[in-house]
Amino acid sequence: MASAIAAKLMALSTLRRKQAKNFTVRICTMESDLEFSCEVKWKGKDLFDLVCRTLGLRETWFFGLQYEIKDTVAWLKMDKKVLDQEVPKEEPIILHFLAKFYPEDAEEELVQDATQHLFFLQVKNKILEEEIHCPPEASVLLASYAVHAKYGDYDAKLHKPGFLSQEELLPKRVFNLYQMTAEMWEERITACYAEHRGRTRDEAEMEYLKIAQDLDMYGVNYFFIRNKKGTDLLLGVDALGLHIYEPHNRLTPKCSFPWNEIRNISYSEKEFAIKPLYKKTNVFKFNSSRLRVNKLILQLCIGNHDLFVRRRRVDCLEVQQMKAQAKEERARKQLERQRLEREKQREKHLREEAERARDDLERRLRQLKEEADMANEALMRSEQTADLLAEKAQIAEEEAQLLAQKAAEAGLETQRIKVRALRGQEERRAMEQKMLEAEMLALKMAEESERRAKEAEQLKQDLQEARESERRAKNKLLEITSQAVGPPPVAGVRPAVLSAPQPQPPLADLMPQDLSFSRENLSFDFKDTDMKRLSMEIEKEKVEYMEKSKHLQEQLNELKTEIESLKLKERETPLDILHNQNTEQGTSKHSNFKKLTLQSTKSRVAFFEEL
């Protein structure tokens, strides 16, 4: 009864969708969410092309639109209508724009900066979410490149301690594994970050991907399977081929089958069959959990195989044009970067000259200020001297007036004595004597008055000279203050504006055509006649890459040595222990792949069936 009601509700929902002319889709990318109004008749390719045009992507073959269905994920098929697929029923329909296939060599294959940036964000998110196991020393180095991609060159004045406190840069597992504070981790990351000076954001992101692509779980899609004996195993599908893992060890495969050794992949119900390229080798089979998982495995196998073959062929004309344009763009950016560096150096030189001129002017101003202070002090002393002389002149003048008054009184007294002398002879002689004395006294008084008058005149002359000295000091002070000047203006450098590249039209659809699925039998034949000639190319490329990564390994070993003493062994996860064992044995992702593929395909098939 319940199933019948559910079927009716689904039918009604489908009928309403068919009646509507448009439906809404929300596309979630690693940076932002986009919403589109789509027509009911649109196929998956129509929606996918619209998203790629909006994002300015031309390397569309790496990406797909993913959606969740029950407890697994699925990818939108390009040749079927969107609404005819098992997408969510509620609007807006939520789809995730993600990388479906990973490159073998990111530096060689990723042409567009936009493609590279999306890969960087997705791989970084997987490492932080611990979907890709990353050892602690590699986590620190990757975090330093992520910081450089966000903040540019390290500047001690701007990037002070604590500027990374809000950033999520390391997996939580790494934080718990060591007795280190957030400040100690930031110090390690900043020390590596400071060494990346001179790189652009795109170069820092590419260095991040070059390190990440050597991680054991990078680009691998895992599925639970069982072999003929019923042993629980993991199937790993990546850019190099198919890998078989034990359930507890996702780092080191037990056996591997490169794409150039596989002729045909097919499945019926839950059974998957892999037919090797060499006819004498038996077909090996395994069982998966559900039919839907089989469909997903087949999609990933077809896409990865097509890209595997495509990498070993001459690039098509459109890809060659993209690479040429990218090369020209990088050269242009390099020239622009050099020009900006020259302008930066010129600006720095001008700034230094301006600072030197400012220092000279400040020194000159200090000197002028000192001279002005000295002139002010001299002026104050002159004013004080002039006041003192004026006071002395006033005192001398008052004394002269007093002496003149006494002389006048003495003259009057002489006249009175003369009058009395007329009265009597005796008095006359006495008066004559007194008059003589008075005259002598008056003479002395007159001389003293004259001397005081001369002193007053001399003091007046000294006062005039002091005022003249004061006037000259004021003139010198005005002359000093008029010589002060301001710092010359510094010529500014206008920041250069990099012109953004014009969005290019998307590539023609190079994704493999999905096969029609049926519950009875599904298969896909790899019909490339040149497959046998590809068997030796993979290892040659990997050996060259390992030679280039020698410096990187030395840097990682140095970081590991610095923090090893602070590790808490009891907190190591099973994957940490397995990684340490592989490191002690000198086993890496590429060396293990080479070792596994040295055996014959037949022996590897037999080994798989006996697991």
Side-chain angles (χ1 to χ4, degrees), residues 360-580:
D360 291 340
L361 287 172
E362 288 178 352
R363 186 169 56 255
R364 178 62 178 161
L365 285 173
R366 285 195 298 270
Q367 183 179 355
L368 292 173
K369 185 178 179 181
E370 290 174 359
E371 292 179 359
D373 291 341
M374 292 173 63
N376 283 328
E377 290 177 2
L379 178 61
M380 289 176 64
R381 286 196 298 271
S382 298
E383 290 177 350
Q384 291 174 358
T385 303
D387 292 341
L388 182 60
L389 291 173
E391 185 178 353
K392 288 183 177 180
Q394 184 177 0
I395 293 172
E397 187 176 355
E398 290 176 355
E399 288 179 352
Q401 290 177 358
L402 182 60
L403 290 173
Q405 183 179 359
K406 288 182 177 180
E409 290 177 354
L412 292 174
E413 184 66 22
T414 301
Q415 290 177 3
R416 284 194 299 272
I417 290 172
K418 287 180 178 182
V419 170
R420 291 192 197 99
L422 294 174
R423 295 178 182 176
Q425 189 66 28
E426 294 178 0
E427 291 180 354
R428 182 176 182 181
R429 285 194 297 267
M431 291 301 294
E432 285 178 357
Q433 184 65 31
K434 289 183 180 180
M435 185 177 67
L436 182 60
E437 291 175 359
E439 287 178 355
M440 291 296 292
L441 181 60
L443 182 60
K444 289 180 181 180
M445 290 290 185
E447 290 176 356
E448 183 66 20
S449 175
E450 185 178 354
R451 188 179 65 80
R452 293 291 184 176
K454 288 179 179 180
E455 285 183 3
E457 185 66 26
Q458 184 63 37
L459 287 174
K460 287 182 179 179
Q461 291 178 0
D462 291 344
L463 177 60
Q464 289 178 357
E465 290 177 0
R467 288 176 178 172
E468 181 64 23
S469 176
E470 178 183 356
R471 185 185 61 80
R472 287 196 300 271
K474 288 182 178 179
N475 291 336
K476 184 176 180 180
L477 178 62
L478 292 175
E479 181 182 351
I480 290 172
T481 54
S482 64
Q483 293 177 0
V485 291
V490 180
V493 179
R494 294 184 59 186
V497 180
L498 296 177
S499 59
Q502 297 295 324
Q504 300 295 330
L507 278 173
D509 182 31
L510 295 175
M511 299 295 291
Q513 298 293 325
D514 290 306
L515 302 178
S516 58
F517 295 100
S518 66
R519 295 181 63 84
E520 291 78 15
N521 184 36
L522 270 173
S523 67
F524 178 76
D525 289 315
F526 301 139
K527 298 180 181 179
D528 183 19
T529 58
D530 297 328
M531 291 297 290
K532 293 182 180 181
R533 289 182 292 178
L534 305 177
S535 57
M536 300 302 294
E537 295 183 8
I538 302 172
E539 304 311 325
K540 181 180 178 182
E541 295 172 358
K542 296 305 173 188
V543 168
E544 293 176 354
Y545 182 80
M546 290 303 294
E547 291 176 355
K548 295 178 182 178
S549 63
K550 183 178 179 181
H551 173 70
L552 173 63
Q553 292 301 323
E554 292 176 354
Q555 193 174 9
L556 291 174
N557 290 335
E558 183 179 350
L559 281 172
K560 184 177 180 180
T561 304
E562 289 179 0
I563 61 178
E564 188 66 24
S565 61
L566 300 172
K567 180 186 287 188
L568 299 172
K569 294 285 186 182
E570 64 275 9
R571 293 185 182 179
E572 287 186 329
T573 64
L575 290 180
D576 289 326
I577 297 172
L578 290 170
H579 173 77
N580 292 335

Side-chain angles (χ1 to χ4, degrees), residues 202-412:
D202 298 331
E203 291 171 345
E205 291 180 351
M206 180 52 69
E207 290 298 325
Y208 188 103
L209 292 175
K210 285 164 64 176
I211 297 170
Q213 70 186 4
D214 288 336
L215 299 177
D216 295 304
M217 295 174 65
Y218 168 86
V220 183
N221 292 279
Y222 296 94
F223 302 94
F224 287 99
I225 60 170
R226 289 180 179 176
N227 61 4
K228 285 184 177 181
K229 295 177 67 175
T231 306
D232 290 329
L233 299 168
L234 279 176
L235 172 70
V237 184
D238 70 357
L240 297 178
L242 300 177
H243 313 280
I244 307 300
Y245 300 83
E246 292 178 331
H248 67 278
N249 184 358
R250 297 192 176 203
L251 301 183
T252 310
K254 301 296 291 184
C255 59
S256 296
F257 301 92
W259 292 118
N260 58 317
E261 295 182 0
I262 298 174
R263 178 185 297 275
N264 175 273
I265 298 177
S266 61
Y267 74 88
S268 177
E269 294 294 337
K270 296 181 180 180
E271 185 179 70
F272 228 98
I274 309 294
K275 183 183 292 185
L277 180 65
Y278 305 102
K279 296 181 180 179
K280 295 182 181 180
T281 305
N282 295 330
V283 176
F284 63 98
K285 300 179 180 181
F286 57 83
N287 293 322
S288 64
S289 57
R290 284 168 298 171
L291 177 63
R292 185 177 289 108
V293 174
N294 280 344
K295 293 179 181 180
L296 180 57
I297 293 174
L298 184 61
Q299 283 184 13
L300 293 174
C301 288
I302 294 172
N304 277 299
H305 176 270
D306 287 347
L307 288 176
F308 178 87
V309 175
R310 177 176 178 168
R311 292 182 191 106
R312 287 151 180 82
R313 289 177 176 171
V314 178
D315 292 330
C316 66
L317 182 60
E318 191 167 2
V319 174
Q320 291 180 21
Q321 290 176 348
M322 286 174 58
K323 288 185 175 181
Q325 291 173 358
K327 185 177 180 180
E328 291 176 0
E329 182 65 18
R330 290 192 184 99
R332 187 188 66 78
K333 287 183 178 180
Q334 180 67 20
L335 292 175
E336 185 68 19
R337 194 158 59 246
Q338 292 175 356
R339 185 183 67 81
L340 289 174
E341 186 64 25
R342 287 195 300 270
E343 290 184 357
K344 187 176 179 181
Q345 292 297 329
R346 178 172 171 270
E347 181 181 358
K348 182 179 178 181
H349 179 67
L350 291 174
R351 189 182 298 111
E352 290 175 352
E353 287 184 351
E355 289 176 355
R356 285 196 298 270
R358 184 191 62 192
D359 293 340
D360 291 340
L361 287 172
E362 288 178 352
R363 186 169 56 255
R364 178 62 178 161
L365 285 173
R366 285 195 298 270
Q367 183 179 355
L368 292 173
K369 185 178 179 181
E370 290 174 359
E371 292 179 359
D373 291 341
M374 292 173 63
N376 283 328
E377 290 177 2
L379 178 61
M380 289 176 64
R381 286 196 298 271
S382 298
E383 290 177 350
Q384 291 174 358
T385 303
D387 292 341
L388 182 60
L389 291 173
E391 185 178 353
K392 288 183 177 180
Q394 184 177 0
I395 293 172
E397 187 176 355
E398 290 176 355
E399 288 179 352
Q401 290 177 358
L402 182 60
L403 290 173
Q405 183 179 359
K406 288 182 177 180
E409 290 177 354
L412 292 174

